[in-house]
Amino acid sequence: MCKLIIHEKVSCALFYFSKSCKVVDINRNGENCLNKNHIITLKLREDEADELADATQIEFVEEDVCVRASMNNENGTIDNAGWHKKESTRIKKNRAEDEWNIRMINGDKVPRNRMMKKKVKIAILDSGIDYGNDIQLAETVTLVPGEDGMSPLFMDGTGHGNSVAGLIAAEDNDEGITGIAPNSEIYSYRVLDDDNCAPISRVVEAIYMAIDREVNIINMSFGVDVYSKALAQAVKDAEDAGILIIAAAGNTGKKGVQYPAALDEVIAVGSVDKNGDVAESSSVGKEIEIVAPGELVRSTGVLGDQLVSSGTSLAAPQVAGVAALIWEQDLNASADFVRALLNESANAYGNEEEYGNGLVDAQYAMEHYKEFKKSYKKNKNAKLKENTAKVLSFEDTGCVKGSWSGKDHENVIPSSNANVKLGARFPDTKSYKDTKDKYIFRGMSDNPWWHGYEKTNYVAAYIYITQLANKMQYSGTVALPSGLSGKVKGEIDTAMAVLGKYWSKELNGNSVTKKAKRDFVWGMAIHTLTDSFAHSAHIWGKNDGKWVHLVHDPNNAYRKNPDYVGADDITKCPVRWENARSAVYAAMCQYEKTAHPAGTYQEFRYVQSSTTYKLGNIYAYVMAVAGYNKASAFRNSSYSTK
């Protein structure tokens, strides 16, 4: 059996060919965009696929191959303005506040506009983006099956999506890096799974979702060697909708540019190193349209950390960021105009099949914006005076972390908080069973202690799990927190005993050290902490005149009122997620203290800052843990639920 995409000329599903044909549940978290655009996914035998391909009602049948992230963990161009010999200004070590890659493309010389009410909308199709990473998220959706209830705080399973998004839109707030276009509004579609792979059908679904949202730009930092008609059609439809599509060229060197970057409608982005020279791994070919820095680039990481990584995956979003800066000047401008200015303003100093139109240059584009716009109105083939600026090159970028040797230089340097992040995602992604054949991690109702559900004292559960985490690395006893029943303690202990059999698997093959175990279990505790802001959240129901528990499933008792659905929706009472983000950082402060204390009830204090939502039983649970006096601050957040 193999997965296939079937693109139909008619809307008939044509299941009459074989009773064994089955619809593949590959985009269960999407919006059925495939079917809306006459595309379906089926599991078929080879003979069944051949039979469908011969049918007159079927336009094409193709294998649903997987794309891979274009991070080294792993189009016809517009007429050039001419090529010249590269001249460089050498910098011994980057000591500036701005990252070396931002300086190389002159992004530091362009003011970031933070006052605009209307924002450029950018869809990032990737491994997801964690809410709270100083990026303006308008929407976050996972299309990976089985992740319906994934917390938006821990959406990115690999760090790839965070890195891509950070380069585009990380806010200028003295935390981590600053993106090229921090005023952008980001739509995050998680298509890449925890192996940074996705079937093409999932990518196509996300493209049509982005079209429905009327975004300005789509960034795709992944690729595949095989041409896909379904992908090509989706990209063409996006272009027809006025969207600028940017993709990583790939890291296959002379083997050629990968799809979707190789499609005419897409800006294929190659990468250069700290010297401004095309990276050895960067895919080359006639489809290359522009280049940007992509080797040893620092960007947003996980849980407040930063990542240094390499690949065209990091080059593409920098071009998307510059495109957003151009588009901010006039949101009524066309995608073709933005694309033309990107190419005309690039610094063209290298071979066309390696550098395309040259190195993207934010300053040159913005300085010549008005001039080019005036010329472009008269002639779509308008030209700019050739950009012959000196290229900044760096002996030391100032951002290298870790050891690089041989092929290892192509890998992402892991975040120091990587195992904490794995643990934070674990209760939403894995299902192990105990001796009674009961699932012991996933499932809010069955395992409320792992999911911050008000059915149990989530405050006490959080504290107890952090104690277990500390014991993984340090000696000492674990005291049962006040407010935690013996039954719940037993459930947690049983689950931890089962987890102990799978450490190597859950740590993704990383060294199974005492510290790694502690980090992982601390992440699980943080999941309990933050899930309380989703699963125990109540909002005021104006029509009902009472506090109403937010839920996940639109088919439950509140289905008649969509206002009560969206426990994990970042647009539903957004202040919850700001508070949850603050709780994460408070917890990480506890985790990082040299005395290795356990968690405390204080990490839940941020809920007090809101009058728009409440956490179920928070006052009672804090009082059970810390006593009446210490719980009094939570009194305004207390209420009874039935």
Side-chain angles (χ1 to χ4, degrees):
M1 302 287 283
C2 61
K3 294 177 182 177
L4 296 105
I5 296 176
I6 290 90
H7 186 172
E8 307 166 284
K9 289 183 177 177
V10 294
S11 59
C12 172
L14 293 175
F15 292 126
Y16 306 110
F17 281 85
S18 171
K19 292 182 179 179
S20 67
C21 294
K22 294 181 180 179
V23 175
V24 180
D25 191 22
I26 203 166
N27 297 293
R28 185 159 58 92
N29 301 338
E31 298 180 348
N32 204 28
C33 289
L34 294 181
N35 288 352
K36 292 176 184 176
N37 290 278
H38 311 304
I39 301 171
I40 60 174
T41 56
L42 302 174
K43 278 188 176 182
L44 300 173
R45 296 191 308 270
E46 187 174 351
D47 62 313
E48 293 173 329
D50 291 340
E51 189 176 1
L52 277 177
D54 291 336
T56 57
Q57 300 94 329
I58 301 297
E59 184 173 329
F60 64 81
V61 175
E62 64 180 33
E63 185 179 359
D64 196 4
V65 297
C66 285
V67 301
R68 274 195 167 275
S70 297
M71 186 181 287
N72 274 338
N73 203 20
E74 32 179 24
N75 96 32
T77 61
I78 296 171
D79 290 341
N80 61 79
W83 285 271
H84 55 268
K85 183 178 179 180
K86 183 180 74 171
E87 293 188 31
S88 300
T89 298
R90 191 72 167 169
I91 295 176
K92 189 170 183 180
K93 184 173 182 177
N94 182 34
R95 302 183 185 278
E97 185 175 321
D98 291 284
E99 297 296 323
W100 73 271
N101 53 294
I102 302 297
R103 296 181 65 191
M104 180 176 278
I105 65 172
N106 293 316
D108 59 320
K109 298 177 181 177
V110 177
R112 277 93 165 187
N113 190 341
R114 286 176 279 173
M115 303 302 293
M116 291 182 61
K117 292 183 179 179
K118 292 186 177 180
K119 303 176 185 297
V120 177
K121 298 163 66 173
I122 304 176
I124 298 178
L125 280 55
D126 215 282
S127 61
I129 303 167
D130 295 338
Y131 184 90
N133 258 339
D134 302 324
I135 294 166
Q136 296 182 46
L137 284 180
E139 182 177 41
T140 176
V141 177
T142 175
L143 299 179
V144 178
E147 294 186 350
D148 314 57
M150 178 63 65
S151 170
L153 290 162
F154 313 117
M155 186 65 73
D156 183 7
T158 64
H160 191 268
N162 285 341
S163 294
V164 168
L167 288 168
I168 296 175
E171 293 181 1
D172 184 7
N173 58 2
D174 297 324
E175 292 183 15
I177 71 160
T178 298
I180 295 169
N183 194 54
S184 304
E185 189 174 81
I186 303 299
Y187 291 74
S188 171
Y189 299 113
R190 173 168 157 82
V191 295
L192 300 178
D193 60 20
D194 286 354
D195 293 320
N196 273 340
C197 293
I200 282 179
S201 58
R202 193 182 297 154
V203 175
V204 170
E205 170 82 8
I207 291 173
Y208 282 115
M209 290 178 68
I211 293 172
D212 288 345
R213 302 309 190 270
E214 298 182 343
V215 304
N216 303 104
I217 299 169
I218 292 176
N219 187 92
M220 294 182 282
S221 288
F222 48 74
V224 65
D225 294 330
V226 180
Y227 173 81
S228 163
K229 289 185 179 180
L231 179 60
Q233 183 61 55
V235 166
K236 180 65 168 63
D237 290 343
E239 183 195 46
D240 290 345
I243 298 173
L244 183 68
I245 307 136
I246 298 169
N251 305 317
T252 60
K254 295 181 180 179
K255 292 182 180 179
V257 176
Q258 294 185 309
Y259 296 99
L263 298 170
D264 290 344
E265 296 83 3
V266 180
I267 296 178
V269 184
S271 68
V272 297
D273 60 19
K274 63 184 180 180
N275 299 310
D277 297 331
V278 67
E280 183 179 351
S281 61
S282 180
S283 296
V284 297
K286 60 182 178 58
E287 299 89 355
I288 292 292
E289 187 158 339
I290 202 165
V291 295
E295 296 295 299
L296 300 182
V297 173
R298 192 201 318 269
S299 189
T300 304
V302 300
L303 296 173
D305 203 352
Q306 298 175 47
L307 289 178
V308 175
S309 44
S310 297
T312 55
S313 275
L314 287 308
Q318 293 177 72
V319 174
V322 177
L325 290 179
I326 294 171
W327 224 324
E328 281 180 354
Q329 308 309 304
D330 179 9
L331 288 179
N332 293 318
S334 69
D336 289 339
F337 166 77
V338 177
R339 184 175 185 175
L341 181 52
L342 280 172
N343 286 292
E344 280 298 313
S345 59
N347 193 336
Y349 55 77
N351 178 281
E352 185 178 12
E353 290 199 0
E354 293 180 327
Y355 296 85
N357 292 285
L359 178 67
V360 66
D361 190 327
Q363 181 185 26
Y364 202 84
M366 299 307 293
E367 286 180 347
H368 294 81
Y369 175 86
K370 291 182 179 179
E371 170 195 341
F372 187 74
K373 186 176 183 180
K374 185 176 181 180
S375 299
Y376 187 82
K377 286 183 178 180
K378 299 177 181 178
N379 180 7
K380 302 301 182 187
N381 295 314
K383 302 293 180 185
L384 278 178
K385 180 181 178 181
E386 185 177 1
N387 179 355
T388 59
K390 289 185 177 181
V391 178
L392 289 184
S393 63
F394 300 81
E395 290 182 25
D396 186 345
T397 63
C399 71
V400 178
K401 293 168 56 181
S403 175
W404 300 75
S405 61
K407 291 186 177 180
D408 289 340
H409 83 281
E410 299 178 347
N411 294 327
V412 176
I413 298 177
S415 161
S416 58
N417 295 332
N419 288 328
V420 180
K421 177 67 175 293
L422 288 175
R425 298 183 84 250
F426 175 75
D428 279 341
T429 59
K430 297 298 172 68
S431 296
Y432 290 125
K433 293 184 178 181
D434 61 13
T435 55
K436 297 180 181 179
D437 205 36
K438 173 191 171 186
Y439 289 110
I440 55 176
F441 290 107
R442 290 190 70 179
M444 178 183 69
S445 297
D446 292 337
N447 301 281
W449 36 87
W450 296 117
H451 296 280
Y453 185 31
E454 61 188 47
K455 188 176 177 181
T456 194
N457 189 329
Y458 47 82
V459 180
Y462 160 71
I463 295 171
Y464 181 62
I465 298 167
T466 63
Q467 291 178 343
L468 293 177
N470 287 339
K471 190 178 180 182
M472 292 283 179
Q473 186 174 1
Y474 308 105
S475 59
T477 59
V478 175
L480 184 68
S482 300
L484 190 72
S485 69
K487 179 181 181 301
V488 172
K489 175 185 180 299
E491 294 281 4
I492 294 174
D493 291 345
T494 296
M496 291 302 298
V498 172
L499 175 60
K501 303 175 184 179
Y502 301 99
W503 277 121
S504 180
K505 177 182 177 182
E506 295 308 330
L507 290 170
N508 284 352
N510 298 333
S511 298
V512 183
T513 64
K514 291 181 179 180
K515 182 182 185 304
K517 292 180 181 180
R518 174 181 182 257
D519 291 354
F520 190 93
V521 180
W522 253 100
M524 294 168 69
I526 290 173
H527 184 276
T528 296
L529 165 68
T530 56
D531 256 16
S532 65
F533 289 84
H535 300 153
S536 294
H538 294 240
I539 62 173
W540 182 253
K542 295 181 180 179
N543 295 331
D544 298 291
K546 62 180 181 180
W547 291 100
V548 181
H549 192 186
L550 272 179
V551 296
H552 283 292
D553 188 359
N555 295 316
N556 68 11
Y558 301 123
R559 63 184 180 275
K560 294 182 179 179
N561 191 338
D563 292 342
Y564 304 154
V565 179
D568 286 318
D569 185 348
I570 62 170
T571 64
K572 189 74 65 174
C573 192
V575 70
R576 288 185 302 140
W577 298 108
E578 294 300 323
N579 294 164
R581 174 183 179 273
S582 298
V584 168
Y585 283 99
M588 290 299 293
C589 286
Q590 288 293 106
Y591 153 80
E592 292 170 349
K593 287 181 179 177
T594 55
H596 316 302
T600 73
Y601 72 92
Q602 288 282 8
E603 282 82 275
F604 293 85
R605 65 188 180 274
Y606 297 97
V607 69
Q608 299 173 66
S609 65
S610 174
T611 57
T612 57
Y613 80 98
K614 296 179 182 291
L615 293 189
N617 300 326
I618 184 67
Y619 171 66
Y621 287 161
V622 172
M623 186 168 66
V625 168
Y628 176 82
N629 290 333
K630 293 181 179 179
S632 61
F634 290 83
R635 183 181 297 278
N636 291 336
S637 295
S638 69
Y639 60 96
S640 60
T641 57
K642 297 182 180 179

